[in-house]
Amino acid sequence: MKYWNYKYVVTLFLIGTISQSLFAQVSNRLNFNDHDLFLNGGNIAWVNFASDIGPGQTNLNAFEEIFREVNLNGGNTMRLWLHTNGTVTPAWNGSEVSGPGEGAIEDLTAILDLAHNYDIGLMLCLWSFDMLQNGLSATQMDRNKGILTNSARLQTYIDNALIPMVDSLKGHPAINAWEIFNEPEGMSNEFGWLANKVDMSDIQWFINRTAGAIKRTDPEAKVTNGSWNIRASTDIFTSSSINKNYYSDEELISAGGDEDGTLDYYTVHYYKHFPTQQSPFHNDASHWELDKPIVVAEFYLGDGRGDGKPDEIHGVPWQDLYEELYERGYAGSLGWQWYDWYEDRTDIDGVDGTLSWPRMLDNMQRLSQKYSSDILFTYPGIRINFNTTRDEIEEGQETTIQWSVRGAEIVTLNGEAVAEEDERMVSPMDTTVYTIAATDTAGNTDSASVTIYVLDPDQINRAFQQPARASSVESEADGVNNSSANDPAFAVDGDFNTRWSSAWDDDEWIYVDLGETHDIHTVELDWEAAFAEKYTIDISFDGQNWEPVFTEEDGNGGADSVGFESPHATKFVRMHGITRATTFGFSLYEIEVRGLISNTQAPELAIVHPASGKTVEVGSSVDVLAEASDANGEIEYVSFFFDGDSLTTLNEVPYQFTIEDIQAGDFELYAKAADNEGIVVQSEPVMITGSDDFTRIRYEAEDANLTGAITIASSVSGASNDAYVNMEDSGTITWTGMGWPEAEEYQLSIGYYLPFDPKDQILSVNGEEIATITFNAPTEQWLTFDTTFTHPGGIDEFSIGHSWGYMYFDYVEISGEGVSVANENEAQIPQKLHLSQNYPNPFNPTTYISYELPLTGLVELKIYNVLGQEVATLINQQQKAGRHQAIFDAYRHSSGIYMYRLKSASGIQTKKMTLIK
């Protein structure tokens, strides 16, 4: 079944057969929906990497935001990545492709519909070199390499995924072209930067076979391919035998044998680490002697790496980049951008995307104004988008209505003339229908309406889009491909097409945080097929201590409405599934809670220091800080409990104290707070471990073995020893000869710095990948990533390997209980007492103090202020000879200069440090 039958859909990108000798006469415009266009736009390229279509939830709001802004600035085209690395789509059955992926066609349809509404064409990129990227599972790597090299496996992709997608979507007016690969050269033996590679002949074969399948399925479809550099798309470079046009008709047909499997235009990328001889900004399109139009589909408009000049590309100012490509005869200009950086587009002090996005919009706008006949196009007919952020409110509440209209001359909202695109905050007293009416120049009309229902306050769903937490989610262990599709947030999103599902066990729960205390009278449960035979409805002020207020002994699924004779005051509501009615778990489409905001609000309480999971040496101390507040009253007291025993009760802020002399073992720390109305709440617990056999060693990044594009640097202050390493687009950081024996668990801390945007990198132990981790923002400051891991046989080698790259590393710190690392603590006994300068220095609020002991004995490490008053004791215990380290957390101390003094059997040493807040 086809979804579109638009009379105005015509052959896309009509390109005539042009003689190879007439390169200068190749068209520099692409025919799209009966308009000869210069492609003016950018890259999405993803909202959720490799996950925008298929199982899960597509963020259509993000796509609409992007399309709206591009349209307002005169853009006409964007590039979207689809399968990317094959982890979410297509669907697999062993090593063969079994389908496009659950929901993939539907999700892509919704995205294309939005693009169409904003006059945006999409270049749909199927795969990226990421399909052979480090960090993929061995199974996924085998699958991806299989379809790149095995004819039978490729055919399963073509037959079961590609053809169904193209056939279902053909004729959609927002499809600009199908792009086979993003930078496939990256996974090639000839050019590649990945560890896993195939030959360029495999890539050519894949392109030929898939392009032919697309064109036979949809004769109107156009196909392209995104080359990382013009060197792989032209025959003019003779400096290397590998440089040639791998994507000419002759090359592709020779590789795959499919006469239909050719490209309709070339897509190339350019980044300024390449020389100007390869630059489209310094050479005309005709210079490359190609027989088809060329679109430049990736380049930064804000990249200072390499030459420190983020405002230009080898002398061409960023303001002129799009026009430069237009004037040089190219067929399109798409600056590079992905959605993570789109979020930060106002941070014009950054590099890359944080500069690139606003500059792209500026270029799009100026180009469309100067060359409007080659840039702007419209679809015939009126198109209206009209929605609201919430369609149920109580009297006095507000909600936002949003609209955009295309193809109309006159637009009204309930009879009032309004702009084609706008939003308005409304607060109706009664249920109200809002109608957008539109009229075009020919007098044709269309309209769309939304209804805002004004309900009695006690009929409002208080659980709507509130934070939800569950004991578990249905996962692969339960036979489900994607556990993210069963997130507890789906039970409070107002969408009855999504659901939360638990693991296939009894005794599972889901609760919702209402945000403030309510007097609830009704809880509604909308069950999916997996329902509860026995369950309770529980309430809580703190999410820790629960009181059951309803029990169902004989549930039958469907829709349950649980009403209470008298309202219950609560902030948290939980469905506790006790016994399953099916072999599956518990599954809810929605949980809804109705009631009034209470006049009496429960206090808020949290322990903000230390973080849970902290391990300390036996005999040391831990500073504790809690925060408590009450919206309509006063906090009477805050009590602290450690290992079940009451330690102290405080009656005024700050609610802080010190736990002295931590003993060996695992301990639970929590607090309780009471307000003047007698409501008592308990904080989430914090776990602290005391160890008398605890080793912590820090390994500096600059001392590691570095390979690839990784260099030692010192330009960013704050790193330990004033040095760190800069990982760019390849390589590993490896520490060897570590000598850690096997431990029950290792604690890992990594000091890192993000110049821009979160990045994934790969951790390996003894040459074996153990995890791909994400180093998160904020950017432009030194941060610490903390986790735990196990590894049989101990640790002799630890490495951080490139996945995304482009970030800095300061150190790796490994800690473990019950282990002794000979090469650090025994084999290298210092010859004399040494107290190192703390790092970082200045610091805020944490710093590390390292010292070396030539003799075993009693060690005392204390902190003093400038008046000589003791402010903290970090160490006061027996320690072995060797290297040691202590941490000073000054979160509760004021800015200033402090002294730290080390006293041992070998003498006394003192140094200064500076705290800046």
Side-chain angles (χ1 to χ4, degrees), residues 92 95 131-132 139-156 198 205-206:
W92 300 86
S95 60
M131 66 193 298
L132 296 187
T139 298
Q140 190 63 54
M141 186 70 71
D142 175 73
R143 289 169 170 174
N144 292 347
K145 187 166 282 190
I147 64 172
L148 287 169
T149 58
N150 182 285
S151 181
R153 291 193 190 184
L154 173 59
Q155 199 61 44
T156 67
V198 294
W205 169 77
F206 188 100

Side-chain angles (χ1 to χ4, degrees), residues 24-73:
Q25 299 179 26
V26 172
S27 172
N28 57 4
R29 300 294 174 264
L30 299 172
N31 189 278
F32 179 47
N33 289 335
D34 206 23
H35 291 70
D36 291 326
L37 296 179
F38 179 89
L39 301 189
N40 183 37
N43 285 260
I44 294 174
W46 58 80
V47 173
N48 293 307
F49 183 78
S51 303
D52 284 324
I53 63 172
Q57 190 174 42
T58 300
N59 189 347
L60 293 176
N61 290 334
F63 281 101
E64 183 166 15
E65 182 182 3
I66 295 169
F67 296 151
R68 178 187 294 115
E69 194 156 3
V70 170
N71 175 270
L72 287 174
N73 286 276

Side-chain angles (χ1 to χ4, degrees), residues 80 164 196 218 244 254 335 378 522 533 635 681 694 730 821 839 842:
L80 171 65
N196 304 288
D218 180 7
K244 67 176 181 178
S254 175
T378 58
T522 304
E533 178 181 343
I635 299 295
V681 296
F694 185 69
S730 66
V821 184
Y839 55 88

Side-chain angles (χ1 to χ4, degrees), residues 698 718-720 782 810 838-844 846-848 913-914:
R698 174 172 291 202
S720 59
W782 287 107
D810 185 10
N838 66 299
Y839 55 88
N841 187 45
F843 66 98
N844 177 29
T846 301
T847 190
Y848 293 84
M913 59 184 173
T914 303

Side-chain angles (χ1 to χ4, degrees), residues 28 132 150 169 231 239 243 259 261 277 296 302 310 402 406 422 426 515 604 626 704 766-767 826:
N28 57 4
L132 296 187
N150 182 285
L169 295 164
R231 286 160 47 199
S239 58
N243 294 334
E259 294 291 335
Q277 289 87 346
V296 184
Q402 303 166 320
R406 296 290 179 270
D422 206 349
V426 296
E604 302 283 342
N766 300 343
E826 296 174 10

